[in-house]
């Protein structure tokens, strides 16, 4: 693993809560751990026999049930991104999860985030990351979630076969085989009450708003919070991809051009001209996408950290197969070796 800031790797994916946003360990020049984790005042609880990888852990939440049929869980004890080859990645404002080439989940970010307790020996085909929970889609269409379950966001319906999943702050949504949307968790803003009798081809959520692409006409339809991304999408555009953030959303039309709705702050919305996109991802106040050649492009509001101010600038000499946008950064899977690369306003902060 190569962290280009050496001992400042703590800031590599840091941000929202005291720089515990993504990577929460600092490394010395020789790669040794030189940090301590903030447990947020959690108390040490004994691990259920046979279900956890260590006898005691600092857990600010109740561990999973000890039912013999329930998945067993491992603690991602170094809270760092995996160095293995990856097939999928998903970020939220508090951390990131990825799937390796065996379909195993890896999660990091937020020293007290329960999502670092990933299911052991469970293979997934897709992954979604919420604020304090994560969900994986298995090959049989069943969804398994872990992490915070205060609002039921980690309790998916067991009688539905899913083809896609997405996670918001405290809710989760998915599409079944017919394209019908199912949502569970908090419904404070109507985010877990999807429209009836509507089939979708794609779905995305960020914060408390959800948008999907309707199967019948390719138009975008949204529900949930009236803040930002819930605003009415353009009615004259047929979409092929969609991404929802905290305050705004983007969709790609049939020609690969980005269209946004929600927050109209001009500094958020300056996509490059004459670029055809195949993939798009929305972060806190920035957006990133991959063009037809796999090159990454990012745009959005200027950010400041402890060292400098600037906009996210994607690497120009690397191509990617997947990209995700988090709080103050972006991460992508390299096309050449399928490993992780991340960047923020300063430089390439992680290149494994």
């Amino acid at each position: 693993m190569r962290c280009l800031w050496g001992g400042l790797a703590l800031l590599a994916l840091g941000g929202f809560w005291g720089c515990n946003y993504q990577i929460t360990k600092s490394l010395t020049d020789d790669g040794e751990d030189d940090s301590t984790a903030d447990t947020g005042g959690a108390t040490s609880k004994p691990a259920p026999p046979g279900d956890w990888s260590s006898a005691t852990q600092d857990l600010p939440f109740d561990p999973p049930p000890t039912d013999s049929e329930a998945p067993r869980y491992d603690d991602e004890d170094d809270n760092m991104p995996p160095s293995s080859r990856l097939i999928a990645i998903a970020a939220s404002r508090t951390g990131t999860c990825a799937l390796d080439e065996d379909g195993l989940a890896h999660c990091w970010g937020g020293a007290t985030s329960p999502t670092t307790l990933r299911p052991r020996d469970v293979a997934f085909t897709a992954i979604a990351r919420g604020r304090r929970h994560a969900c994986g889609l298995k090959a049989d269409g069943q969804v398994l979630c872990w992490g915070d379950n205060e609002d039921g966001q980690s309790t998916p319906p067991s009688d539905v076969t899913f083809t896609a999943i997405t996670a918001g702050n405290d809710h989760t949504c998915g599409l079944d085989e017919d394209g019908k949307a199912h949502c569970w968790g908090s419904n404070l803003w109507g985010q877990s009450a999807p429209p009836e009798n509507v089939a979708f081809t794609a779905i995305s959520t960020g914060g408390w708003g959800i948008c999907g692409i309707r199967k019948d006409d390719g138009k975008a339809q949204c529900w949930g919070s009236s803040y930002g991304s819930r605003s009415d999408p353009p009615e004259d555009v047929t979409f092929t991809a969609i991404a929802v953030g905290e305050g705004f959303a983007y969709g790609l039309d049939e020609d690969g051009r980005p269209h946004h709705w929600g927050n109209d702050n001009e500094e958020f919305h300056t996509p490059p001209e004459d670029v055809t996109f195949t993939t798009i991802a929305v972060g806190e106040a920035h957006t990133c996408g991959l063009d037809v050649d796999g090159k990454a492009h990012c745009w959005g509001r200027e950010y400041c950290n402890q060292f400098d101010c600037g906009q996210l600038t994607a690497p120009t000499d690397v191509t990617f197969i997947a990209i995700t946008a988090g709080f103050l950064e972006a991460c992508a899977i390299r096309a050449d070796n399928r490993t992780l690369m991340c960047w923020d306003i300063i430089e390439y902060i992680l290149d494994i």
Side-chain angles (χ1 to χ4, degrees), residues 175-181 195-202 212-219 221:
L175 298 181
D176 66 21
E177 294 175 300
D178 297 320
K180 179 182 178 181
E196 296 288 342
N197 303 317
V198 179
F200 298 95
T201 60
I213 300 175
R214 292 200 300 256
K215 189 175 182 179
D216 58 356
D217 58 8
K219 308 301 183 184
Q221 183 170 345

Side-chain angles (χ1 to χ4, degrees), residues 9-316:
L10 170 63
L11 303 176
L13 292 176
F16 186 52
W17 284 306
C19 293
N20 282 331
Y21 175 45
Q22 301 268 5
I23 295 178
T24 57
K25 288 202 174 186
S26 60
L27 303 180
T28 61
D29 291 338
D30 60 1
E32 294 297 322
D33 176 31
D34 191 31
S35 65
T36 58
D38 177 9
T39 62
T43 57
S44 182
K45 297 183 180 181
D51 277 284
W52 297 78
S53 58
S54 59
T56 61
Q57 300 180 47
D58 290 330
L59 302 176
F61 56 93
D62 291 327
T66 57
D67 190 313
S68 60
E69 299 299 319
R72 299 201 301 172
Y73 291 78
D74 273 334
D75 183 19
E76 200 85 81
D77 54 6
D78 59 2
N79 201 22
M80 293 287 285
S83 59
S84 54
R85 291 167 60 89
L86 304 176
I87 61 172
I89 187 169
S92 73
R93 67 183 304 170
T94 54
T96 307
C97 291
L99 298 181
D100 64 28
E101 58 186 348
D102 294 320
L104 301 180
H106 303 263
C107 296
W108 62 97
T112 61
S113 175
T115 52
T116 59
L117 295 163
R118 42 81 181 271
R120 184 193 308 175
D121 299 329
V122 180
F124 300 105
T125 59
I127 189 83
R129 171 79 185 239
R131 181 172 56 183
R132 286 176 54 82
H133 76 289
C135 296
L137 177 63
K138 298 192 292 184
D140 62 2
Q142 295 299 297
V143 173
L144 176 64
C145 300
W146 59 99
D148 183 27
N149 196 36
E150 182 178 355
D151 295 296
Q153 64 267 47
S154 294
T155 307
S158 59
D159 57 347
V160 178
T161 300
F162 290 94
T163 61
I165 54 171
T166 182
N169 279 350
D170 47 17
H171 67 279
T172 312
C173 294
L175 298 181
D176 66 21
E177 294 175 300
D178 297 320
K180 179 182 178 181
H182 302 258
C183 298
W184 55 97
S186 173
N187 196 40
L188 181 63
W189 304 102
Q191 64 267 46
S192 293
E196 296 288 342
N197 303 317
V198 179
F200 298 95
T201 60
I203 191 171
S204 177
T205 182
W208 296 274
I210 307 98
C211 296
I213 300 175
R214 292 200 300 256
K215 189 175 182 179
D216 58 356
D217 58 8
K219 308 301 183 184
Q221 183 170 345
C222 304
W223 64 95
S225 172
S226 59
Y227 169 69
S229 56
R230 170 62 179 84
S231 303
D232 293 333
E235 297 180 356
D236 57 347
V237 180
T238 299
F239 292 100
T240 60
I242 198 166
V244 178
E246 288 283 339
F248 61 95
Y250 264 90
L252 298 180
D253 66 21
E254 294 174 300
D255 296 320
R257 295 176 301 184
H259 301 259
H260 75 271
W261 58 95
N263 191 318
D264 287 327
N265 190 325
E266 291 185 0
E267 67 173 332
F268 288 16
H269 309 300
T270 56
E273 298 181 358
D274 302 322
V275 175
T276 300
F277 289 95
T278 61
T279 303
I280 196 159
V282 176
E284 184 75 6
H286 64 279
T287 305
C288 295
L290 299 181
D291 65 22
V292 292
D293 297 318
K295 181 181 177 181
H297 304 261
C298 294
W299 62 93
R301 190 185 69 186
E302 183 178 87
Y303 289 122
C304 295
N305 61 19
Q306 290 93 328
F307 302 100
D308 203 353
C309 295
Q311 291 181 318
L312 265 72
T313 301
T316 59

Side-chain angles (χ1 to χ4, degrees), residues 2-13:
R2 180 166 61 96
C3 288
L4 300 187
W5 290 354
L8 295 178
L10 170 63
L11 303 176
L13 292 176

